[in-house]
Amino acid sequence: EIQELAAQHFARTLAGSSGSEARGYLARRGVRPETCHEFALGYAERSGQSVVRLLEQHGFTIEEMELSGLVLRRTEGSGYYDRFRHRLIFPIHSESGKIIAFGGRALGEGEEPKYLNSPETAVYHKGNVLYNLNRARKESQQAGFTVIVEGYMDVIGVYSAGVKNVVAPCGTALTQQQVSALRRHAPGVVINFDPDKAGRNATERSIEVLLNERMQVRVLELPDGVDPDEYILANSAGAYIDLVKNHTQR
């Protein structure tokens, strides 16, 4: 219930006056308003108190707030503050579609970490969860394969291009539990991680885990060293779809 209330709050904040910077970022990345709505994107404002106040108003205890992963105790002095501050918010859903956690992208220059995720909680175990599997699973069943990309924005870009059988790990290396979840829906995968050193290393590790689960594995490397979202913006949705088809029909 706390995760759902927070998601609604973040979405309202994105649509309000304080969400203008986050909306501008999304517009520059080519994310349409209807896509924001479909993915329930939101914005965590700067004060670091809005989620604390929201949950207090709904009668939740401080202990429940801390267990949710959304609220932190101050290390100096007394009081509590929001985990996510001045970040674009990506709700993370369970396979059945319930909101169980969040990812937050920094909007300010030099703000670290670039991506901040919810901690492990009673309802969120990141090694078991794939971002967007709740939407992708039926499309994966029909296509016979799932495209695996690296991050939230890559998923949104690829999904918006028309390749809806796309997922991403939630900030972890691909795990056996995640691969088992994929295998329930389709026997094949196309790995399309970023072309940098970290992406290549993640691809190598993922291939081993996937083959251990007897998955059919193909690797898609995009030209010009770009990630999926950048490739779609620079070329077209159709160009990306053609590349995926070429890798699954050979």
Side-chain angles (χ1 to χ4, degrees), residues 201-220:
N201 290 340
T203 297
E204 290 180 12
R205 291 194 302 269
S206 298
I207 288 171
E208 183 177 353
V209 178
L210 290 159
L211 291 178
N212 285 342
E213 290 293 306
R214 299 182 179 180
M215 298 287 282
Q216 301 162 15
V217 183
R218 294 189 183 276
V219 176
L220 171 57

Side-chain angles (χ1 to χ4, degrees), residues 192-195 221-232 234-235:
N192 186 197
F193 288 160
D194 293 355
E221 284 196 11
L222 297 175
D224 304 321
V226 296
D227 64 32
D229 186 42
E230 291 170 337
Y231 181 84
I232 291 164
N235 296 275

Side-chain angles (χ1 to χ4, degrees), residues 16 22 38 43 47 91 113 139 157 175 178 183 189 200 212 221 240 248:
E38 184 169 8
Y43 170 65
S47 78
E139 300 286 342
T175 67
Q178 290 168 329
R183 200 170 189 277
V189 296
R200 287 193 295 271
N212 285 342
E221 284 196 11
Y240 184 81
T248 55

Side-chain angles (χ1 to χ4, degrees), residues 123-218:
V123 297
Y124 176 57
H125 305 284
K126 61 185 177 181
N128 297 344
V129 178
L130 286 159
Y131 182 65
N132 198 50
L133 185 58
N134 58 306
R135 300 179 194 88
R137 53 186 181 162
K138 288 184 180 178
E139 300 286 342
S140 294
Q141 290 164 11
Q142 293 171 3
F145 68 94
T146 308
V147 178
I148 309 176
V149 295
E150 212 164 300
Y152 306 124
M153 288 301 298
D154 288 325
V155 166
I156 291 171
V158 170
Y159 186 96
S160 300
V163 181
K164 298 187 183 296
N165 50 321
V166 58
V167 300
C170 294
T172 65
L174 201 64
T175 67
Q176 184 269 326
Q177 293 89 339
Q178 290 168 329
V179 175
S180 295
L182 289 172
R183 200 170 189 277
R184 286 199 300 272
H185 302 294
V189 296
V190 174
I191 304 174
N192 186 197
F193 288 160
D194 293 355
D196 55 16
K197 183 179 179 181
R200 287 193 295 271
N201 290 340
T203 297
E204 290 180 12
R205 291 194 302 269
S206 298
I207 288 171
E208 183 177 353
V209 178
L210 290 159
L211 291 178
N212 285 342
E213 290 293 306
R214 299 182 179 180
M215 298 287 282
Q216 301 162 15
V217 183
R218 294 189 183 276

Side-chain angles (χ1 to χ4, degrees), residues 53 58 83-84 90 103 141 153 191 218:
R53 289 195 298 267
H58 281 83
R83 176 178 296 273
F84 297 105
F90 302 85
Q141 290 164 11
M153 288 301 298
I191 304 174
R218 294 189 183 276

